[in-house]
Amino acid sequence: MPPSIVFIVYVNDAPEAARFYADLLSIKPSFETPGYIAFGLGDGADLALWSGHTDGLTPTVPRTSEVCLALPGGPDEIDRRFEQWVTKGARVVSEPHDEVFGRTFVVADPDGNLIRVAPVD
């Protein structure tokens, strides 16, 4: 069996964060406990929300990593996704703009964790 990889995002309230990510990404959890909820991303990759280590974490604590959703479809698709997520109430950190790798934007989850949308490489 090939190894799998789990990207863990620390949150204060796993069920609340799971509702946010499920709505934002239109996916359902593949594993749930009160403090740890995972979403299968395919090909041995999961996104997990864990409320087990939140000492001192608040939305105001600077986050130095990002979860990145890579979309096909070019700049227009990036802009469409931005509008969808703003409508869903995502907190905008960086509006759509062009970078060396293409069109991108960043939002934050309720705990301040960063979520970037960018084009597929």
Side-chain angles (χ1 to χ4, degrees):
M1 181 163 140
S4 62
I5 187 164
V6 178
F7 299 95
I8 298 173
V9 176
Y10 297 106
V11 297
N12 287 301
D13 183 329
E16 177 187 337
R19 285 188 293 276
F20 174 84
Y21 280 89
D23 182 47
L24 203 65
L25 302 174
S26 299
I27 57 177
K28 293 183 180 184
S30 57
F31 179 84
E32 294 184 65
T33 69
Y36 182 90
I37 300 173
F39 295 89
L41 302 176
D43 294 330
D46 291 320
L47 171 65
L49 308 170
W50 188 15
S51 59
H53 290 284
T54 58
D55 295 342
L57 289 181
T58 69
T60 60
V61 172
R63 307 303 166 111
T64 58
S65 63
E66 302 174 342
V67 171
C68 182
L69 175 66
L71 294 180
D76 291 341
E77 182 57 32
I78 303 288
D79 289 342
R80 271 193 294 280
R81 187 61 58 104
F82 176 77
E83 293 303 325
Q84 290 171 352
W85 285 12
V86 167
T87 299
K88 291 178 182 244
R91 183 170 57 91
V92 176
V93 174
S94 174
E95 294 201 7
H97 62 281
D98 295 321
E99 287 287 349
V100 295
F101 51 83
R103 193 100 174 128
T104 188
F105 69 87
V106 179
V107 299
D109 74 8
D111 290 288
N113 296 299
L114 302 177
I115 306 165
R116 178 178 297 279
V117 175
V120 173
D121 289 337

